[in-house]
Amino acid sequence: MWREIKQPAMSQAQARFLKELRLRRWAVRVTQWVFLVGFLLLWEMAANREWIDPFLCSQPTEIWRTAVEMAQNGMLWAHIGTTLWETAAGFLLGTVLGVMVAVLLWWNSFVSEVAEPYLVVLNAVPKTALAPIIIVWLGNNQTSVIAVALLTSVVVTIMTVLNGFLQTEEEKIKLIRVFGGTKWQIFQKVVFPANIPCMMNALKINVGLSFVGVIVGEFLVAQKGLGFLIIYGSQVFKLSWVLMSVVILSVLAAILYKAIACLEKFVLRKRQ
Amino acid sequence: MLPMVSFQDVSLSYHSLGGETRAVSHLSFTVAEGEFVSIVGPSGCGKSTILSMLAGLFPPSAGSVRVNGTIGYMLQKDHLLEWRTIRSNIFLGLEIQGKATKENKSFAEELLKKYGLWEFRDHFPAQLSGGMRQRAALIRTLVLSPDLLLLDEPFSALDYQTRLSVADEIGTIIRQEGKTAILVSHDISEAISLSDRVIVLSGRPARLKKIHTIELSVEERTPMKAREAPEFREYFNQIWKELDVHVA
């Protein structure tokens, strides 16, 4: 006697597995929030009961009050705007310039061989150590801040992108050559498009680096921006300014990173 | 009639820090128009080098290489550009040679239709099977109407099943288009089944060992049918012996 053997829509084991997976994810989320809220509550309480010195450590409600106040008189937006603009300018310029230099080095292998040790050393130097020199050269202004941000990202961009260019599949280059293609066509048809993922990656890394450059730059010269707010706040013991700026900075960094991740997804949507 | 390809006493050496390596030594042969010729030899003997010289990627160290016509080259893997659609991929050669005219593009699209890839024209390479990708790579080459096709182990990246049917398919297409072709392969049966002549090379440096003219008593000379010919095994055994493959 033959029976038809049907696979059930979903086995019980599979259903249990999925349920456990969801439960675990949910537990992780909840714990994350509990941790954050608990931390804020504890901080608030510790400051209120003077377990810690609210003058030195501030407290969440105080930070919130400061933020609301500064948002209302518009100061907050001006500082955020300045920092954002400098960061965006820094990392876009850093990436574009870095890619351009990488193209140049790819084009001329002699130049790139000559440049290699210098790049390695430049890459190892903490770029923020060069910030004072930049300021001496470019002056006490926003240009210097952007230049420092650019400097932090440009060398690493050159190295990553050049490396990507050089690792383009030899056979794909051969394909263009057997079609009789020129070096420019090899670059345009294969090397550049093949390395778009690599360049998107560089962009992601550069957002973080550029923030570092901007904040250091602002520490040194600025009259505006979150970095300025941090350094000024610490000098006048307005810890709520400092902490507020730090929180805003982390949120901004996260948003920018996410934005670039979305851009990357969009640009690479057709690739697999 | 002038041969399509002539190699006369060709030698080639590579230079590296480790010294000079002789890849090809005093090699002479010709290929006539419309002929399908395979070159077999032990792996690493310099077979691909011969095609590279034909394609003009580098000159021979000595002797002369003559090609009477335009060349299309098929590489080991399809190397379709993954960021381009199939249609855009087959236009690549046209773009590079500045021949992307309306006429040539519609010829390319004709080929897509003819060889069953038209429905996939807007797909990306990753969405196609290995066999379809190799077919697309062949079309990319045929679009330029080359007089001579150079096939550098174009099936070696495929699994055995696919490989048989793709070799059959591509061999048939090449005969249908009446192209002259030179196939480099380490697969003896593949070489016999596709070719009019098989050139056997020695190990490195590559020297000419023997040239077989393949005559098979089958009605329809497709690569698949060729394997069923009674003479097939004989050719296979002979070439096998000449290749002198030692499996220690």
Side-chain angles (χ1 to χ4, degrees):
Chain A
M1 186 60 183
W2 290 95
R3 270 182 310 133
E4 195 183 354
I5 301 170
K6 263 200 221 155
Q7 187 162 9
M10 191 194 286
S11 72
Q12 277 190 336
Q14 173 71 5
R16 199 161 50 233
F17 170 78
L18 285 180
K19 198 175 160 197
E20 271 166 23
L21 201 71
R22 267 196 297 270
L23 202 71
R24 192 185 163 89
R25 265 194 215 145
W26 185 78
V28 167
R29 252 318 118 70
V30 168
T31 314
Q32 285 168 339
W33 279 106
V34 166
F35 185 79
L36 179 67
V37 173
F39 174 74
L40 290 175
L41 281 176
L42 189 68
W43 182 3
E44 184 69 25
M45 198 161 78
N48 281 339
R49 306 204 170 172
E50 306 227 335
W51 297 342
I52 55 173
D53 187 346
F55 181 69
L56 293 181
C57 304
S58 189
Q59 62 194 94
T61 49
E62 178 61 24
I63 294 171
W64 177 250
R65 216 183 45 72
T66 313
V68 170
E69 189 184 300
M70 289 185 89
Q72 275 164 353
N73 68 23
M75 287 302 292
L76 187 63
W77 310 119
H79 288 302
I80 291 178
T82 306
T83 298
L84 262 186
W85 152 245
E86 288 162 353
T87 307
F91 93 87
L92 286 178
L93 285 175
T95 311
V96 170
L97 201 72
V99 170
M100 275 163 42
V101 174
V103 173
L104 212 83
L105 295 180
W106 175 81
W107 196 271
N108 192 326
S109 58
F110 183 78
V111 175
S112 87
E113 274 171 51
V114 170
E116 204 214 329
Y118 299 104
L119 280 175
V120 171
V121 171
L122 267 180
N123 193 39
V125 171
K127 259 59 72 182
T128 45
L130 304 175
I133 307 173
I134 299 286
I135 289 158
V136 170
W137 287 348
L138 298 181
N140 224 338
N141 51 42
Q142 203 173 33
T143 316
S144 291
V145 179
I146 295 174
V148 175
L150 182 156
L151 201 64
T152 51
S153 55
V154 76
V155 182
V156 69
T157 307
I158 296 172
M159 295 192 53
T160 344
V161 175
L162 177 63
N163 204 21
F165 284 171
L166 292 176
Q167 277 174 4
T168 312
E169 250 181 297
E170 239 357 273
E171 288 278 295
K172 287 215 162 80
I173 294 174
K174 188 173 174 187
L175 174 74
I176 306 293
R177 289 187 60 208
V178 296
F179 277 135
T182 60
K183 189 157 190 176
W184 167 244
Q185 283 173 324
I186 290 174
F187 180 74
Q188 179 203 3
K189 304 283 182 197
V190 169
V191 173
F192 190 82
N195 280 288
I196 287 176
C198 165
M199 287 181 261
M200 295 308 293
N201 238 342
L203 215 54
K204 271 202 252 175
I205 297 165
N206 289 350
V207 178
L209 289 176
S210 190
F211 261 118
V212 174
V214 165
I215 296 304
V216 170
E218 287 182 348
F219 281 179
L220 294 173
V221 294
Q223 306 299 322
K224 229 197 236 171
L226 294 168
F228 162 75
L229 211 55
I230 290 172
I231 209 84
Y232 185 65
S234 74
Q235 283 162 359
V236 300
F237 284 91
K238 280 270 197 183
L239 266 295
S240 53
W241 287 10
V242 177
L243 288 161
M244 177 195 72
S245 306
V246 172
V247 171
I248 293 175
L249 265 180
S250 18
V251 173
L252 286 183
I255 291 175
L256 266 186
Y257 185 88
K258 197 82 193 159
I260 288 169
C262 285
L263 177 74
E264 180 183 33
K265 220 172 173 180
F266 176 74
V267 171
L268 303 181
R269 68 196 178 283
K270 296 219 172 122
R271 298 194 191 199
Q272 274 166 341
Chain B
M1 197 174 68
L2 220 65
M4 179 76 93
V5 171
S6 99
F7 261 63
Q8 248 161 28
D9 205 25
V10 169
S11 298
L12 184 92
S13 302
Y14 287 120
H15 298 273
S16 71
L17 268 183
E20 193 172 341
T21 322
R22 188 148 252 234
V24 178
S25 178
H26 302 289
L27 186 65
S28 302
F29 67 89
T30 59
V31 177
E33 195 178 336
E35 216 183 359
F36 197 124
V37 171
S38 289
I39 299 176
V40 296
S43 49
C45 78
K47 298 182 296 260
S48 298
T49 312
I50 292 170
L51 293 192
S52 295
M53 282 192 282
L54 271 170
L57 293 181
F58 41 78
S61 313
S64 83
V65 176
R66 285 214 185 87
V67 184
N68 185 18
T70 55
I71 285 174
Y73 203 123
M74 251 181 109
L75 303 160
Q76 279 189 19
K77 286 198 239 151
D78 54 73
H79 289 297
L80 296 170
L81 303 178
E82 61 264 32
W83 53 88
R84 286 169 167 243
T85 60
I86 294 304
R87 193 205 322 237
S88 158
N89 258 296
I90 63 161
F91 290 163
L92 185 69
L94 293 176
E95 284 172 27
I96 287 171
Q97 303 189 354
K99 292 180 187 161
T101 59
K102 216 172 185 181
E103 201 186 346
N104 287 337
K105 281 182 168 180
S106 70
F107 170 64
E109 285 172 349
E110 277 315 306
L111 286 174
L112 273 187
K113 280 179 199 155
K114 195 165 164 191
Y115 298 119
L117 286 176
W118 181 244
E119 294 158 59
F120 301 97
R121 61 192 180 277
D122 294 324
H123 285 51
F124 286 87
Q127 295 167 292
L128 268 60
S129 70
M132 284 157 97
R133 293 172 60 125
Q134 203 53 270
R135 219 185 310 154
L138 176 65
I139 294 174
R140 179 181 61 195
T141 314
L142 290 177
V143 163
L144 295 163
S145 309
D147 303 314
L148 170 67
L149 277 171
L150 304 179
L151 310 168
D152 188 358
E153 305 200 27
F155 316 119
S156 60
L158 304 169
D159 64 78
Y160 188 68
Q161 296 279 333
T162 319
R163 182 177 181 152
L164 282 185
S165 65
V166 172
D168 187 52
E169 213 172 79
I170 287 184
T172 310
I173 294 174
I174 290 171
R175 285 198 187 267
Q176 211 170 318
E177 302 284 331
K179 300 287 180 198
T180 312
I182 300 179
L183 168 79
V184 153
S185 179
H186 58 249
D187 183 329
I188 304 172
S189 348
E190 193 173 275
I192 301 170
S193 71
L194 286 161
S195 319
D196 300 313
R197 279 192 298 151
V198 175
I199 296 176
V200 184
L201 298 179
S202 70
R204 177 169 283 231
R207 281 195 198 84
L208 185 67
K209 216 161 182 185
K210 183 100 195 254
I211 298 181
H212 294 269
T213 306
I214 308 293
E215 276 161 358
L216 300 172
S217 43
V218 282
E219 282 170 30
E220 199 189 351
R221 181 70 203 272
T222 69
M224 221 43 139
K225 287 267 173 0
R227 288 170 191 261
E228 291 161 16
E231 302 87 349
F232 190 85
R233 176 139 297 276
E234 229 166 279
Y235 284 121
F236 185 94
N237 287 336
Q238 265 186 42
I239 295 173
W240 172 264
K241 271 184 211 137
E242 284 156 13
L243 282 180
D244 200 20
V245 188
H246 293 290
V247 186

